[in-house]
Amino acid sequence: MKTSLAFFHCTRGRPRGLALVLCAACLPAAHGFTVGITAGTRALFLQVGAGTMTGGTFNNNATPGNNSTVNTASVTVPGAQLGSGTAQAMTTSSTVTASPWDGFAFCTSPATTGQVYVGGFYRVPGTTGAAATLSVSTPVSLANANGDTLAFSSIAWTSSGNGDATPTIPSGAFTGGAQTLLSVTRNTWFESCLAFRYLNTQLVPAGTFNGVATFTLSTP
């Protein structure tokens, strides 16, 4: 039995020539990676897996752009392990390890860990206003070619990032619907590395089960 998960990502806004500075009082090391950016033209940027950053890194005035790549996470469960309750780590087609913010090797090799980079920013002209919201939406189930289904809630993730004692995006599991992952304060960059796993708690028919998780960064 094989489970396959595709990730949609989107880019909103294309700021150019933006000067960025580290905030004077960023979160301490015990928290996940967030960093303040300068106020400016209202913009959103979200990268899930592969992304586009032209001209270097974002903290050195690079320009984020649209990227049509849809990365996947998948796992093939051996017949002897089906429904055993032993979670199965998923691999990913993403190869992203470096943070678009500063080039730091934030995720560990996806080839060995299955980590998928998720990060971006929310920027507004001033210093007031509501936060943006990072969310993910999935159907209730994954399905195979025969119409058999597998609950999306059987897929979970562990969130981390090199150098982070506590991840920015909390670890969790899909709910089979829309769910909020993170509140992103105005003029802030955020990022985490998500490693997905199939919980493998039930017997299911043979086949390849496919589903799509759509990540969205939105503002009020």
Side-chain angles (χ1 to χ4, degrees), residues 204-220:
V204 294
T208 298
F209 292 77
N210 295 299
V212 176
T214 303
F215 288 77
T216 303
L217 182 61
S218 60
T219 59

Side-chain angles (χ1 to χ4, degrees), residues 120-210:
F121 71 84
Y122 167 44
R123 190 187 65 175
V124 294
T127 58
T128 60
T133 300
L134 175 66
S135 60
V136 66
S137 180
T138 61
V140 174
S141 305
L142 302 96
N144 67 11
N146 296 325
D148 301 313
T149 60
L150 179 66
F152 237 107
S153 57
S154 63
I155 298 177
W157 68 84
T158 299
S159 182
S160 63
N162 291 326
D164 283 356
T166 302
T168 303
I169 299 172
S171 298
F174 293 116
T175 61
Q179 58 194 111
T180 297
L181 300 179
L182 183 69
S183 179
V184 183
T185 306
R186 61 193 178 280
N187 300 324
T188 298
W189 179 285
F190 69 93
E191 57 189 13
S192 283
C193 303
L194 308 185
F196 295 89
R197 65 188 184 278
Y198 170 56
L199 299 180
N200 192 30
T201 59
Q202 59 184 318
L203 290 174
V204 294
T208 298
F209 292 77
N210 295 299

Side-chain angles (χ1 to χ4, degrees), residues 17-132:
L18 175 66
L20 298 172
V21 295
L22 293 177
C23 61
C26 294
L27 294 177
H31 295 267
F33 187 81
T34 60
V35 62
I37 64 176
T38 55
T41 303
R42 184 181 178 89
L44 290 171
F45 173 73
L46 175 62
Q47 178 174 329
V48 180
T52 296
M53 190 68 68
T54 303
T57 56
F58 195 57
N59 68 338
N60 281 323
N61 306 325
T63 302
N66 292 311
N67 190 308
S68 61
T69 303
V70 178
N71 289 124
T72 60
S74 62
V75 63
T76 299
V77 183
Q81 284 292 324
L82 279 176
S84 67
T86 300
Q88 305 291 303
M90 303 181 79
T91 60
T92 179
S93 64
S94 173
T95 59
V96 175
T97 57
S99 166
W101 163 254
D102 60 359
F104 177 71
F106 189 63
C107 298
T108 304
S109 173
T112 57
T113 66
Q115 290 184 351
V116 177
Y117 175 88
V118 180
F121 71 84
Y122 167 44
R123 190 187 65 175
V124 294
T127 58
T128 60

